[in-house]
Every structure is written in structure tokens, then in C-alpha cells.
Amino acid sequence: EAQVTQNPRYLITVTGKKLTVTCSQNMNHEYMSWYRQDPGLGLRQIYYSMNVEVTDKGDVPEGYKVSRKEKRNFPLILESPSPNQTSLYFCASRGAYNEQFFGPGTRLTVL
Amino acid sequence: AQSVTQLGSHVSVSEGALVLLRCNYSSSVPPYLFWYVQYPNQGLQLLLKYTSAATLVKGINGFEAEFKKSETSFHLTKPSAHMSDAAEYFCAVLQGAQKLVFGQGTRLTINP
């Protein structure tokens, strides 16, 4: 089944404790991205990657890092999480007709 | 830069009634437009997309949307609401090749 997977689905952590959210897609898509969803703000792009080893900032990149060492994986790294990064995070990959396929989401709480 | 405005953060309709969710966009180039649906505790699922072919686009679950360039609109409709349609709906426009720009979302409630 074609899909985007994310792990973990839920995470509660404390300020300053480094964490990584994994994202993987099995559709051989070149383009992948990360969004965060906050009430009243819709989804905002954090980072995107046009291909392996090519990443760039989206609208809200502060406090996040990404890497793209393989086509299928695009992990999101929070090296020192803060409470304002409490949010719902989605990974997505883009298909041939510009439609984006989203993962199930990771709900992160930073205490 | 492209942007999207969804009119109405909450819409409530009766089961069997017409569903109309409004979306207006701004774009300096012919847009690629999308509607996504998000059910509780789930990710976003593509309902339909407009890619400059037919102006009336049919999607999944009986939804359709009409692209109106003169009104810069891409409203989503369904003739008869079902309880299972209760969800949050997002309109989005593709900006360049890099990202989707989303509206703020409209939560649809279906009354029995």
C-alpha cells in the first residue's frame, strides 16, 4: 500500500530534550516536506526537500532541523524543544500531479 | 505569493442538506488548487484537485468543486450531507514547486 508513515504518533517530552520524528514514504517520491498544524492557523510548512541531500526552509523553520540522506526518509529533528513547538506535525510527499500525500501525524507536547 | 481564504471556520448543516464550503484564492499565475479532508485524529486526505483541465472537478465521497477564475473561487460542494462527512476541510493552493499554502480550515458539523 502506498503510504507515508510517521513515528511516533504521540510524544510527550520536556524542554530541551532532543527528539526525532521519523518519516518514510514508499512511493519513490522525490519531494518531501514537513508541516505543523495549529488551531486557527491551518498548516504551515517547516522544511522541504526537493531530493536527496537537497533541503530548504519553509515558513516556520526556527528550532527545527531536517536531513535527507535517502529518498524514502525525511526525519524532523528538534534539538532543544520548547513549549511553543507543541503542535501536530505532518510529513508529506508529493506525487506526479503535485498532489501531496500526508502521513497520519505526530502529536507533540513539550512540557 | 499565493494565499487562500476559507470563509467560515465552522459550518453546520442538516443530514441530507447541501454542503457548501467556500474557498477564495489569490494567485498571479494559473493556480493548482486542492481540497483536503481531515477526520478526527487522522492525517489529511486528498478530496480533489484542480490542475487547469475541467473547471468542475469531481472528487471522492460525492464532493465536487468548481473553479471560477472571475471570482477567484474554488468552493467545495456536496448535494446531500451524510453524517460521515463531519470533519475539517482545508483548501490549498500550490505555491511554486515548493509547498502548499493552506487556508485556516473549516470544521463541518452534520446535524441529524
Side-chain angles (χ1 to χ4, degrees), chain A residues 28-106:
Chain A
N28 202 36
H29 290 161
E30 294 185 345
Y31 178 97
M32 297 183 73
S33 61
W34 276 101
Y35 295 84
R36 62 178 287 174
Q37 182 181 13
D38 301 290
L41 297 177
L43 283 84
R44 294 175 293 168
Q45 191 183 56
I46 303 170
Y47 268 95
Y48 65 92
S49 170
M50 298 294 287
N51 211 331
V52 175
E53 302 293 358
V54 180
T55 65
D56 208 347
K57 298 176 181 179
D59 294 322
V60 288
E62 293 77 20
Y64 305 95
K65 286 178 59 178
V66 293
S67 70
R68 187 90 182 276
K69 293 182 170 54
E70 307 167 278
K71 183 181 278 192
R72 64 182 292 126
N73 296 322
F74 190 43
L76 180 69
I77 303 158
L78 285 72
E79 296 210 325
S80 184
S82 61
N84 64 12
Q85 293 179 296
T86 292
S87 188
L88 180 58
Y89 292 87
F90 289 102
C91 180
S93 68
R94 190 176 71 196
Y97 299 99
N98 290 313
E99 73 277 25
Q100 295 203 17
F101 299 89
F102 286 82
T106 295

Side-chain angles (χ1 to χ4, degrees), chain B residues 15-51:
Chain B
E15 191 173 17
L18 171 71
V19 175
L20 171 61
L21 304 182
R22 300 179 187 273
C23 172
N24 288 88
Y25 69 90
S26 69
S27 176
S28 57
V29 298
Y32 283 76
L33 293 160
F34 306 82
W35 274 100
Y36 284 86
V37 61
Q38 184 180 28
Y39 298 104
N41 298 314
Q42 294 188 26
L44 279 76
Q45 180 181 2
L46 180 66
L47 271 179
L48 50 81
K49 61 180 183 283
Y50 169 75
T51 57

Side-chain angles (χ1 to χ4, degrees), chain B residues 34-104:
Chain B
F34 306 82
W35 274 100
Y36 284 86
V37 61
Q38 184 180 28
Y39 298 104
N41 298 314
Q42 294 188 26
L44 279 76
Q45 180 181 2
L46 180 66
L47 271 179
L48 50 81
K49 61 180 183 283
Y50 169 75
T51 57
S52 74
T55 57
L56 183 62
V57 181
K58 293 188 183 300
I60 62 172
N61 301 338
F63 284 93
E64 62 182 35
E66 186 173 9
F67 173 71
K68 291 187 176 181
K69 184 178 179 180
S70 61
E71 298 177 8
T72 61
S73 69
F74 190 55
H75 301 333
L76 181 71
T77 61
K78 182 174 180 177
S80 177
H82 191 272
M83 295 299 290
S84 62
D85 294 327
E88 189 153 18
Y89 293 79
F90 292 92
C91 183
V93 63
L94 184 68
Q95 179 168 304
Q98 275 71 40
K99 70 178 180 182
L100 284 176
V101 176
F102 286 87
Q104 295 174 324

